[in-house]
Amino acid sequence: MIAIEPSLTHMRTVNLLLRLKTLSLVGCIALAGAPEAQSQPPAQSELVIRATTRMVAVDVVVTDRDGHPVTDLTKNDFTILEDARPQTIATFSASSPPVSGSRQGLPPLLPQHVTTNRPDVIEGDDHIAVLLLDGLNTPIQSQQYLKQQMLKWLAGHLDPHRKLAVVVLSERLAVLQDFTSNPEFLKAALERYQTSSAAVARNGGERDLSSTEITAPEISLPSQAVGGPAPTTSDPTMPATSGGSSDTIQNDIAYMMRRFEKNAANFARDVRVSITLDALQQIARYLAGQRGRKSLLWFSTGFPIAVTGINPEDMATARTYGDKLRATTNLLNDAHVAIYAIDASGLLVGNLSDPSQSGRDANGRIALTVEANRKLSNEDFARMTTSDTLERAAADTGGRFFHGNDIANSIAISLQDSSSYYLLGYYPSNKKFDGRFRQVRVKLNRPGLTIRSRQGYFAIEPSQGQKNGKQNDFKAAISSNVLPSTQVTFMARALPPARNTDLVVEFAVDSSTVSFETVAMTEGTASPVARKNCNLTFEVQAYTREGKFVKAAVQEANADLELQSYERVLKQGVPMKVPISLAPGNYVLHLGVRDNHTGLFGTAEIPAEIGKN
């Protein structure tokens, strides 16, 4: 570890934590950690006035005909349309790459027994990007080519002002290298990367389940076992019928076998898609607290946005992942993360142009038959739907989609593309937040320029986060904690406890990352007194060093603060103490704070040692 002099941010961090023991807020007993007060139900409010008005933030990248960023635009050059209705731009800012030769200092060191998920401490830069190597959805041969291309790019294109992190997706998300601008660290991480095919991907159902692969079983049946006359067809590769009362029992069995195989394949694909989208959501929460526009370079061959086909069993087992993908890209948009999807397969040839194929079947016959045409059609359809997923994810988040063999150049363009951008904010004229998707379009008053931005958002009321039934997302994020969530930021301290006492985790939550609702309280007086309501959930999960879960402790903080206490909380943070009783030993504590008004949360972890009595 490099020893550096503590910075001013470091000193503020330590002072904030030291104030936890002496911090006493009038009217905030529920937040101070007194067990008696926490067990009391909060006072009932007669009137709740939502002080939060949602502002939609849109980051915009503008380039000229040569692909170079345009940096001299003003607020008057932009027009924002929501569902085709013009909106008033309330905020405007421009971000440019750092000046050559400038260098930001190292992030502050944390004292012992202290942890945080604050981006300025764990990352220390606002020009960052994540490289996601998707081994779950990418064939092994494409992974090997991708690794070579990334090392080629790293050899001469790394910008020292940008910090990169490398993560890999298999059955789960794993970090190969945390944020760094050191090319040697990144090179070592890529060289450590071993191409592999995850079990769920191997069972991902990419087999051809056409009617000719699973033939009708050879069964000796009496004549009365026939459900109808044997149909005929001019196409010998087509099944006689698609199953049903007019079909033979043999064909019924074959149809059910094909449908079972198709369902099994689709189930494996469902799992693969779920893991992939969950990983993208983890990355979104990880980058949410970081300033500015972030880039996610997603190297993958993708997954189909829809699964269907032309055979009867295809129709019976069809499904689509469009809604799930849009919900994920909406979370990425809220975190200002743009996807740059790079097709890891490159420009692959199909069966028709494959030089290894002679054009004849096993019996030496010309293979250009109806069956060959069907295989080509299925191949083109699968490639189109898979590429469409990557392209749609990039377009929805204001990024780009790359399909070609020069992956190294695609990486360089992706990073350069997000070095300069504009951030526009507006308050929607439509105040009815009904949860529906609203289309957002940004137009330029200057001709000849290319613009990229998010495609829209879901109009969800901020206070609906408490009722959205996603508490399980919070608990799952704490338990895995591969990447800390930074939607709600906090600092925490876990000092070794004295003998025969519980370990106490002291939290200090950044009040700028949580919501406060304005509440009018009657309290038996003629005139109501305005208060600010804060509703948080604190959770501590203890694990052994080997990763085995031991126990968890949860505290709820639901308090109505008087204005004086509220102003103090805004300056000093929201404090909370969570005790947890543990036997002597070494542990890793997974920490989490959830804002129950919005459903946003933050996570972190810290080691803890409990001495013997």
Side-chain angles (χ1 to χ4, degrees):
M1 180 176 294
I2 303 175
I4 63 172
E5 182 179 355
S7 65
L8 180 60
T9 305
H10 181 193
M11 298 306 298
R12 286 199 298 263
T13 295
V14 177
N15 292 335
L16 177 60
L17 288 163
L18 291 178
R19 284 199 297 268
L20 282 174
K21 286 190 174 182
T22 58
L23 186 60
S24 176
L25 301 178
V26 179
C28 194
I29 300 177
L31 295 180
E36 298 82 359
Q38 293 171 13
S39 62
Q40 296 176 359
Q44 296 297 321
S45 305
E46 292 187 0
L47 176 65
V48 176
I49 304 173
R50 308 215 193 289
T52 304
T53 301
R54 174 161 187 173
M55 183 180 75
V56 178
V58 183
D59 46 80
V60 182
V61 173
V62 183
T63 55
D64 58 19
R65 289 185 174 90
D66 298 324
H68 299 140
V70 178
T71 59
D72 61 342
L73 300 176
T74 66
K75 175 181 175 180
N76 296 329
D77 292 316
F78 293 90
T79 300
I80 296 182
L81 303 175
E82 180 179 291
D83 289 341
R85 297 179 180 178
Q87 306 293 314
T88 301
I89 299 176
T91 62
F92 175 86
S93 63
S95 177
S96 300
V99 180
S100 178
S102 65
R103 180 182 177 88
Q104 293 196 7
L106 294 172
L109 293 177
L110 291 173
Q112 192 176 12
H113 310 303
V114 173
T115 188
T116 184
N117 66 340
R118 283 174 46 179
D120 59 335
V121 177
I122 62 177
E123 296 164 10
D125 207 311
D126 61 350
H127 290 273
I128 63 174
V130 173
L131 310 182
L132 173 60
L133 309 181
D134 186 355
L136 182 63
N137 300 289
T138 306
I140 292 180
Q141 62 272 21
S142 296
Q143 295 181 50
Q144 294 170 343
Y145 177 71
L146 171 62
K147 180 177 178 178
Q148 295 171 358
Q149 287 286 301
M150 294 185 72
L151 289 171
K152 173 185 175 182
W153 162 79
L154 190 60
H157 295 87
L158 181 62
D159 182 0
H161 300 107
R162 183 181 296 277
K163 288 191 175 182
L164 305 179
V166 182
V167 296
V168 61
L169 176 62
S170 184
E171 272 93 351
R172 63 184 184 87
L173 200 63
V175 179
L176 287 182
Q177 174 61 54
D178 208 342
F179 283 102
T180 182
S181 57
N182 190 321
E184 295 301 322
F185 290 170
L186 294 169
K187 180 181 178 181
L190 292 174
E191 289 178 343
R192 288 197 309 269
Y193 174 57
Q194 300 295 326
T195 58
S196 63
S197 179
V200 68
R202 290 195 297 270
N203 299 326
E206 304 302 334
R207 300 172 55 200
D208 177 15
L209 298 177
S210 63
S211 59
T212 57
E213 181 179 341
I214 303 175
T215 58
E218 296 293 336
I219 302 177
S220 178
L221 295 173
S223 58
Q224 63 268 24
V226 177
T232 60
T233 175
S234 58
D235 183 358
T237 66
M238 290 291 289
T241 70
S242 59
S245 59
S246 63
D247 201 2
T248 64
I249 291 180
Q250 295 101 315
N251 284 331
D252 275 343
I253 294 175
Y255 168 74
M256 295 306 296
M257 289 174 61
R258 293 193 301 270
R259 180 169 174 172
F260 173 80
E261 288 280 348
K262 194 73 176 181
N263 270 324
N266 286 344
F267 175 77
R269 187 184 290 107
D270 290 343
V271 175
R272 178 157 58 92
V273 171
S274 178
I275 293 174
T276 304
L277 296 182
D278 181 68
L280 295 177
Q281 291 175 16
Q282 288 186 57
I283 294 173
R285 296 189 183 104
Y286 178 45
L287 299 176
Q290 178 67 39
R291 299 188 306 271
R293 186 179 192 266
K294 287 80 66 175
S295 301
L296 171 59
L297 277 63
W298 181 17
F299 303 92
S300 176
T301 55
F303 54 84
I305 200 169
V307 179
T308 184
I310 60 176
N311 297 313
E313 60 271 14
D314 297 329
M315 302 299 182
T317 58
R319 75 264 327 271
T320 178
Y321 306 108
D323 291 342
K324 295 180 181 179
L325 179 63
R326 171 160 281 181
T328 299
T329 56
N330 185 72
L331 186 63
L332 288 161
N333 279 324
D334 288 343
H336 298 284
V337 179
I339 289 181
Y340 289 82
I342 301 175
D343 191 345
S345 63
L347 297 176
L348 298 178
V349 297
N351 286 330
L352 184 63
S353 55
D354 189 349
S356 65
Q357 303 293 329
S358 65
R360 297 181 180 272
D361 59 20
N363 298 320
R365 295 176 300 183
I366 297 295
L368 294 178
T369 61
V370 175
E371 176 65 14
N373 289 334
R374 182 175 293 110
K375 287 185 177 180
L376 290 173
S377 298
N378 289 338
E379 180 185 85
D380 291 341
F381 180 78
R383 186 177 302 167
M384 178 188 67
T385 55
T386 300
S387 298
D388 184 59
T389 303
L390 298 174
E391 190 170 5
R392 176 171 171 178
D396 284 351
T397 57
R400 296 180 64 178
F401 170 65
F402 297 91
H403 179 64
N405 291 328
D406 195 354
I407 293 179
N409 186 53
S410 300
I411 299 173
I413 294 175
S414 300
L415 295 178
Q416 177 187 359
D417 192 55
S418 59
S419 60
S420 299
Y421 62 92
Y422 299 90
L423 185 61
L424 314 177
Y426 71 94
Y427 296 98
S429 57
N430 182 3
K431 304 300 182 183
K432 183 180 179 181
F433 294 96
D434 52 8
R436 296 183 179 181
F437 185 81
R438 297 182 182 178
Q439 188 181 64
V440 175
R441 290 288 181 267
V442 181
K443 294 185 177 181
L444 280 174
N445 300 331
R446 291 193 195 179
L449 301 180
T450 301
I451 185 169
R452 283 187 294 278
S453 63
R454 66 189 297 181
Q455 300 298 297
Y457 71 100
F458 287 97
I460 300 175
E461 186 76 26
S463 62
Q464 293 302 311
Q466 188 176 11
K467 305 175 183 178
N468 61 9
K470 293 186 177 181
Q471 288 83 355
N472 290 336
D473 292 348
F474 173 53
K475 292 184 178 296
I478 301 175
S479 60
S480 62
N481 207 35
V482 176
L483 294 174
S485 172
T486 61
Q487 293 174 321
V488 174
T489 59
F490 62 88
M491 307 199 72
R493 180 174 62 180
L495 295 175
R499 290 187 176 184
N500 300 320
T501 59
D502 293 341
L503 173 67
V504 178
V505 180
E506 302 171 275
F507 288 86
V509 182
D510 184 355
S511 47
S512 66
T513 62
V514 298
S515 62
F516 295 85
E517 288 189 346
T518 302
V519 182
M521 302 290 296
T522 301
E523 294 188 352
T525 60
S527 59
V529 178
R531 295 172 181 263
K532 295 287 187 178
N533 177 264
C534 177
N535 192 330
L536 304 176
T537 296
F538 296 79
E539 183 163 346
V540 177
Q541 295 181 2
Y543 293 80
T544 65
R545 295 295 174 89
E546 293 75 27
K548 182 180 179 181
F549 175 75
V550 178
K551 66 186 308 183
V554 180
Q555 294 278 20
E556 298 287 339
N558 186 8
D560 295 324
L561 308 178
E562 294 180 354
L563 293 184
Q564 183 179 2
S565 300
Y566 166 68
E567 293 174 358
R568 194 175 305 170
V569 166
L570 290 181
K571 296 178 181 179
Q572 299 180 336
V574 181
M576 189 63 174
K577 296 181 180 180
V578 180
I580 183 170
S581 179
L582 297 170
N586 295 322
Y587 301 92
V588 176
L589 304 181
H590 292 192
L591 315 178
V593 179
R594 183 180 192 267
D595 183 351
N596 295 322
H597 286 155
T598 63
L600 304 179
F601 55 82
T603 61
E605 68 177 36
I606 187 173
E609 182 178 356
I610 310 297
K612 295 183 179 179
N613 296 334

